[in-house]
Amino acid sequence: MSDQVQVVLIAAAWAGGVGVLGLGLAWLLRRLSVRWLATLVAVVAVGAVVAGMVGTARAMFLSDHDFGVVLLVALVAGVVAVTVAMAVGGAFAGWSHSLQQDARRFGESGEFVGDSRGPAELRALSDELARTSAKLAESRTREARLEDSRRELVSWVSHDLRTPLAGLRAMTEALEDGLAEDPGRYHRQIRSEVDRMVRMVDDLFELSRIHAGVLRLSLQPVALGDLVSEALAGADPVARARKVRLGGSVEDGLLLHADPAELSRVLSNLLMNAIRHTPADGVVEIHGRAVPEGVELSVTDGCGGLSAEDMARVFDVAWQGSTARTPHATDGPAGSGAGLGLAIVKGIVEAHRGRVAVANHAPGCQFLVQLPT
Ligand SMILES: Nc1ncnc2c1ncn2[C@@H]1O[C@H](COP(=O)(O)OP(=O)(O)O)[C@@H](O)[C@H]1O
Ligand SMILES: [Mg+2]
């Protein structure tokens, strides 16, 4: 065996021994600060060098004096290494402590403000926390909006029910006391108020089914042309009464997989809205055509255009335009509901995995429904 191989083997045995000892110590100290672990690594590194030298001192033919010098040099190197290790470990501990403080503030305030400092792992952790914080903020806003709209819904619905109920009480009292000059008119008005409230309660029920996720669609092949014809026929008397011209066309042979009853509700809500917002002599049109995504339905009216803010809110539950919340019993089925119609439209369309949108389309606006076939 050559001298060098011998030296390598002896040094490996001694240094390896120190290494194993170091691993054992590291395992024992694993719960301490990273500062102590870094120091341990430095001590083990220098210790391994010293152990290797002690083991091979004879093979190197070092004099006692030279060996003493080498050990001294190793000692000084050891002190330097330990100092550097403690400084680096200390810095790491500092970064980790400041991240810990940031995380604690995150827990208290719900908002993470941290700066990405330190080594890659800590920066990645800090970035992850920042992302989580952004997601939390987003869901808080969504929750607050939902809560707002729920509160709004309850208050508007009670308002919308109280007004006609007060009217009904006044009319029934007048009838009871024999004070009504034209009882027939009162009866008709009572009937139409009751119809309106029934529609409102029905809308509320539908919306609660949509929101609870218990809307069960019975999907079947539906000929869009037939559905649109039915909706137009249903809306025709109302359009005539308001002198709105109603028209439409659907490409031949458009079939889709849908729940016909729910889809009819979508069409009739959109048509009634369009008729209500179109002035006399205006035009309301409904068109159906095939698009790459499936089928597209458009309902165009003469509402005079919507502002960007209105367009952003039309599908919100209980939202109504400025003039809508003055119920007129004479409005009939085209009258305003409780601001639920478009929320229901959106809910039903999305349950069909479709999309609904609104855009301005002179002289009015256009509601576009896209449904997969
Ligand atoms: N075709 C339309 N043209 C213009 N504005 C519309 C149209 N449809 C709906 N809107 C606006 O959106 C609001 C909400 O509509 P909707 O949810 O159907 O409730 P409602 O009909 O009970 O008012 C309406 O009050 C109105 O301001
Ligand atoms: Mg409506």
Side-chain angles (χ1 to χ4, degrees):
M1 214 190 301
S2 82
D3 276 358
Q4 272 160 343
V5 173
Q6 210 174 349
V7 164
V8 166
L9 286 180
I10 296 172
W14 282 78
V18 172
V20 170
L21 203 70
L23 273 181
L25 265 176
W27 192 78
L28 286 177
L29 300 181
R30 68 192 183 283
R31 294 195 181 280
L32 293 190
S33 162
V34 69
R35 186 186 314 208
W36 300 116
L37 287 176
T39 308
L40 179 69
V41 170
V43 169
V44 167
V46 175
V49 170
V50 172
M53 277 187 324
V54 170
T56 53
R58 261 194 308 127
M60 288 196 285
F61 302 111
L62 287 180
S63 68
D64 281 354
H65 169 262
D66 290 354
F67 186 59
V69 169
V70 168
L71 276 187
L72 263 182
V73 170
L75 195 72
V76 171
V79 170
V80 171
V82 166
T83 312
V84 171
M86 288 198 78
V88 170
F92 188 90
W95 290 318
S96 137
H97 182 71
S98 95
L99 186 59
Q100 188 191 346
Q101 299 289 329
D102 291 344
R104 173 170 307 146
R105 273 193 296 274
F106 179 24
E108 283 160 5
S109 72
E111 190 190 1
F112 182 74
V113 249
D115 42 354
S116 292
R117 285 192 309 150
E121 288 82 359
L122 288 188
R123 285 205 313 274
L125 188 57
S126 165
D127 291 350
E128 198 53 52
L129 282 173
R131 266 193 295 275
T132 308
S133 162
K135 270 190 224 151
L136 262 179
E138 210 174 277
S139 74
R140 261 198 308 270
T141 346
R142 203 168 35 223
E143 210 173 283
R145 264 193 56 184
L146 271 178
E147 181 57 29
D148 279 354
S149 80
R150 200 187 57 82
R151 235 195 321 259
E152 236 171 35
L153 175 67
V154 171
S155 86
W156 279 124
V157 165
S158 26
H159 167 270
D160 286 350
L161 287 176
R162 199 177 296 132
T163 316
L165 280 173
L168 285 177
R169 170 184 282 156
M171 285 187 277
T172 47
E173 277 171 5
L175 286 171
E176 220 172 31
D177 300 344
L179 292 176
E181 282 169 16
D182 180 1
R185 191 171 65 87
Y186 273 46
H187 286 140
R188 281 192 301 279
Q189 207 163 333
I190 288 174
R191 174 65 193 261
S192 103
E193 284 289 5
V194 169
D195 282 351
R196 219 174 75 82
M197 293 199 314
V198 167
R199 275 197 307 277
M200 199 185 295
V201 171
D202 191 43
D203 277 355
L204 270 177
F205 182 62
E206 174 85 356
L207 198 65
S208 81
R209 284 205 307 154
I210 290 172
H211 282 177
V214 293
L215 183 70
R216 293 272 165 272
L217 297 177
S218 68
L219 295 179
Q220 46 188 278
V222 177
L224 192 64
D226 295 350
L227 220 58
V228 168
S229 303
E230 279 169 30
L232 283 173
D236 192 56
V238 182
R240 274 176 201 281
R242 296 183 153 246
K243 301 197 173 50
V244 169
R245 272 178 293 147
L246 202 55
S249 68
V250 175
E251 280 176 10
D252 278 341
L254 275 192
L255 266 185
L256 70 162
H257 233 64
D259 185 315
E262 300 294 342
L263 209 53
S264 292
R265 189 164 193 144
V266 167
L267 295 183
S268 117
N269 280 2
L270 289 177
L271 279 177
M272 290 305 178
N273 275 353
I275 293 170
R276 189 170 99 234
H277 291 97
T278 300
D281 289 330
V283 179
V284 167
E285 283 190 346
I286 177 165
H287 292 286
R289 63 189 184 111
V291 290
E293 296 81 20
V295 169
E296 185 186 80
L297 263 170
S298 68
V299 178
T300 323
D301 61 23
C303 72
L306 283 169
S307 68
E309 298 95 75
D310 285 358
M311 276 198 267
R313 298 209 63 189
V314 282
F315 295 106
D316 285 0
V317 171
W319 185 85
Q320 294 195 300
S322 47
T323 54
R325 252 178 230 289
T326 38
H328 300 291
T330 47
D331 271 358
S336 71
L340 308 180
L342 288 177
I344 290 174
V345 165
K346 188 170 152 88
I348 294 176
V349 169
E350 287 178 354
H352 281 87
R353 295 178 203 292
R355 280 181 302 154
V356 57
V358 60
N360 277 326
H361 186 277
C365 50
Q366 184 175 53
F367 284 82
L368 276 179
V369 175
Q370 255 182 26
L371 291 166
T373 39

